[in-house]
Amino acid sequence: MPERRTVALVTLGCARNEVDSEELAGRLAADGWELVEDASDADVAVVNTCGFVEAAKKDSVDALLEANDLKDHGRTQAVVAVGCMAERYGKELAEALPEADGVLGFDDYADISDRLQTILSGGGHAAHTPRDRRKLLPLSPVERQDAAASVALPGHGAPQTADAPDTPAVEDLPEGVAPASGPRAPLRRRLDTSPVASVKLASGCDRRCSFCAIPSFRGSFVSRRPGDVLNETRWLAGEGVKEIMLVSENNTSYGKDLGDIRLLETLLPELAAVDGIERIRVSYLQPAEMRPGLIDVLTSTEKVAPYFDLSFQHSAPAVLRAMRRFGDTDRFLELLDTVRGKAPQAGVRSNFIVGFPGETEEDFAELERFLTHARLDAIGVFGYSDEDGTEAATYEAKLDQEVVDARLAHLSRLAEELTAQRAEERLGETLEVLVESVESDGPEPLDEDEYAAAGRAAHQAPETDGQVLFPAAAGLAVGRMVTAKVVGTEGVDLVAEVIDVAEEAGR
């Protein structure tokens, strides 16, 4: 009998990282590893790191150190870093953090089982020297698909190289592992039982925002084939998933390297027609790339959420130009008017950077003007900080940290007030809510500030946009879609009463 090998995956960062972790889980399960939830029960703890901003990098280091502590009083024998921070810093991270027994880049994902076995057995694996992954593919998007077949793209499956490991036959896969549906389709194993799952639409980014380092370590934009996205969605539906969230660094660019920039408009109705799927949500949209046809599909297609995760970042023209972005307050408000003219209940969220180099008091006031009129459902606010290798890090007109902190605090308070007001505007609305948690019945009654169940409506994305709370859970179950009326608010959260519970067979 083969020796029992256990592994735990600890995921930090965005939904894209969650997809990558499930691809790694699929590869490891297919090669005989037993996946466990708790790192203390694992022979190897794999930490999927985030490398986007300083706070996220600190969280990743803390997670690696915490996992390393388990080696002193648990089963854990090795701690391995993967993900964006590991890819971005490679050898530098390995030298700075000797507590990590291995630092693996994206090129190691196809051989993840062998890499972990080598590390677990006491062998070494030299961390890579980081490189600009944009240079691995042609500059022209239409020339990328063939070249991308030999490049490691997390979430896209194994690269086609001479020494690439063979994909296991379907009959040899353990239960719960998605079979590869094509030459670039990934193996995948779910790491939770949530009725919501993310699906990668593409990887990389061609935009050159002056504050962002992501394209340098995620590479140029590459779309997944529509057939692979559809097949993965069908498999997830078979695993009990009810809502699919399409993720990438920039979903509005989907299809441009496949010869059809409007491919998303075609794909969305096909995804919505997958049996068992109740909602399709599209994230990461660029305002400058929004087109009338895409807005029409997002606001009028059954089971496609009228949800707009728009990356505004700022609204003052001078700041946007310095960011290498486009737009202004009035154009952004016109876009929102267009969306709400087609779908009055549409949800809109965005993130903003304050204290960007050169941001004047007038620029900051312009951003306040936009937020005050935009009626956003969710707002993320971040204070500017230099990121290694970005153009903005070289700018001279840096603001004092005290100014950045003050503007961050002020705009964060305003955002909290505005999103609470927006929630209050939804009083009386009727919503379709996907139930995601239900308190188990017990002998003790719930406290006044506790709710019997919670879920999300079409305007609420997982973890970022608030939720719908139910005082009573009669007839509710996780994964059930219910019709509910909003009767109260708690900040950005809504309190609702159930009007109708969908029949299980129909859902």
Side-chain angles (χ1 to χ4, degrees):
M1 178 179 292
E3 182 182 357
R4 180 173 182 248
R5 301 177 298 174
T6 57
V7 59
L9 285 145
V10 180
T11 307
L12 294 94
C14 64
R16 301 185 294 274
N17 256 16
E18 294 171 4
V19 176
D20 294 349
S21 285
E22 293 198 348
E23 179 186 0
L24 293 174
R27 293 185 179 284
L28 291 166
D31 203 44
W33 289 78
E34 179 183 341
L35 290 131
V36 297
E37 290 186 18
D38 195 329
S40 63
D41 297 329
D43 297 317
V44 183
V46 178
V47 179
N48 192 348
T49 61
C50 179
F52 181 38
V53 293
E54 285 304 318
K57 287 183 278 190
K58 181 181 183 302
D59 289 343
S60 295
V61 170
D62 289 345
L64 288 163
L65 294 175
E66 182 177 341
N68 182 69
D69 290 341
L70 297 174
K71 291 191 289 187
D72 295 330
H73 48 77
R75 178 188 177 99
T76 309
Q77 300 174 51
V79 176
V80 175
V82 299
C84 290
M85 188 176 181
E87 173 62 38
R88 184 176 181 184
Y89 294 104
K91 184 178 179 182
E92 182 183 344
L93 177 62
E95 293 173 349
L97 197 70
E99 290 85 353
D101 300 284
V103 174
L104 305 181
F106 298 152
D107 292 333
D108 293 307
Y109 282 20
D111 302 304
I112 187 67
S113 179
D114 289 344
R115 297 287 188 267
L116 296 192
Q117 184 60 59
T118 297
I119 293 169
L120 184 59
S121 301
H125 178 72
H128 65 286
T129 298
R131 53 182 172 170
D132 188 339
R133 296 190 72 87
R134 291 171 293 192
K135 297 180 180 179
L136 301 180
L137 294 170
L139 185 63
S140 171
V142 296
E143 297 176 3
R144 284 187 198 148
Q145 283 290 323
D146 290 340
S150 60
V151 175
L153 299 173
H156 290 236
Q160 298 172 23
T161 58
D163 57 351
D166 293 332
T167 299
V170 173
E171 60 269 19
D172 295 331
L173 291 173
E175 184 178 355
V177 175
S181 58
R184 285 307 305 267
L187 298 170
R188 182 169 180 175
R189 183 186 184 277
R190 297 216 66 203
L191 292 173
D192 60 40
T193 58
S194 168
V196 182
S198 297
V199 172
K200 269 201 179 176
L201 198 59
S203 286
C205 186
D206 288 342
R207 301 186 70 88
R208 294 296 179 262
C209 301
S210 62
F211 55 84
C212 183
I214 289 176
S216 65
F217 55 86
R218 278 289 185 178
S220 298
F221 185 89
V222 179
S223 302
R224 290 183 68 197
R225 296 279 178 178
D228 287 345
V229 177
L230 274 165
N231 286 332
E232 190 170 338
T233 298
R234 294 186 183 108
W235 176 78
L236 287 166
E239 294 290 302
V241 170
K242 299 298 182 182
E243 177 178 323
I244 292 296
M245 186 165 72
L246 299 177
V247 299
S248 75
E249 280 74 18
N250 178 10
N251 281 332
T252 34
S253 283
Y254 180 69
K256 71 176 185 179
D257 53 323
L258 295 172
D260 184 2
I261 192 60
R262 295 176 177 80
L263 194 55
L264 183 56
E265 288 95 304
T266 304
L267 178 60
L268 284 172
E270 295 182 67
L271 292 170
V274 172
D275 189 33
I277 295 298
E278 290 300 320
R279 181 183 289 155
I280 301 292
R281 184 183 305 277
V282 184
S283 60
Y284 306 114
L285 301 169
Q286 288 292 339
E289 297 180 31
M290 291 301 295
R291 47 195 178 271
L294 180 56
I295 294 174
D296 287 343
V297 170
L298 288 171
T299 54
S300 65
T301 307
E302 185 179 5
K303 295 188 179 181
V304 173
Y307 176 77
F308 293 79
D309 177 10
L310 293 162
S311 178
F312 288 122
Q313 302 298 344
H314 212 283
S315 71
V319 176
L320 287 168
R321 285 196 297 271
M323 290 179 168
R324 304 292 183 194
R325 298 178 67 82
F326 306 95
D328 56 49
T329 295
D330 293 335
R331 272 187 280 184
F332 290 163
L333 292 176
E334 287 174 6
L335 172 60
L336 297 179
D337 286 344
T338 298
V339 167
R340 290 178 176 133
K342 295 177 180 293
Q345 287 185 313
V348 186
R349 83 167 320 276
S350 192
N351 293 326
F352 300 88
I353 299 173
V354 298
F356 194 80
E359 181 191 62
T360 64
E361 292 184 3
E362 291 76 16
D363 294 329
F364 186 67
E366 183 68 4
L367 178 55
E368 284 190 272
R369 181 172 81 89
F370 171 68
L371 290 178
T372 301
H373 290 86
R375 298 170 55 231
L376 303 181
D377 292 277
I379 300 170
V381 185
F382 301 88
Y384 172 81
S385 62
D386 286 339
E387 278 297 308
D388 299 336
T390 62
E391 180 183 356
T394 68
Y395 289 175
E396 295 181 355
K398 303 284 175 61
L399 277 63
D400 290 340
Q401 191 60 47
E402 293 80 1
V403 175
V404 176
D405 293 343
R407 291 182 182 179
L408 174 61
H410 176 81
L411 207 69
S412 296
R413 288 192 299 270
L414 178 62
E416 186 174 347
E417 294 172 3
L418 292 172
T419 51
Q421 290 174 16
R422 176 64 181 135
E424 290 175 356
E425 291 179 18
R426 293 190 179 274
L427 284 168
E429 283 189 1
T430 299
L431 308 173
E432 292 295 312
V433 181
L434 177 63
V435 179
E436 293 185 315
S437 65
V438 177
E439 291 293 328
S440 58
D441 294 331
E444 299 295 329
L446 295 171
D447 294 335
E448 290 184 2
D449 60 347
E450 293 182 320
Y451 288 90
R456 288 178 304 98
H459 71 279
Q460 297 167 316
E463 299 184 8
T464 60
D465 300 349
Q467 56 188 340
V468 178
L469 307 170
F470 295 98
L476 300 185
V478 173
R480 192 70 65 89
M481 192 73 79
V482 303
T483 304
K485 181 179 179 180
V486 181
V487 296
T489 66
E490 289 198 1
V492 71
D493 295 331
L494 306 178
V495 180
E497 293 179 350
V498 176
I499 298 175
D500 182 52
V501 179
E503 292 295 332
E504 186 70 32
R507 295 294 184 182

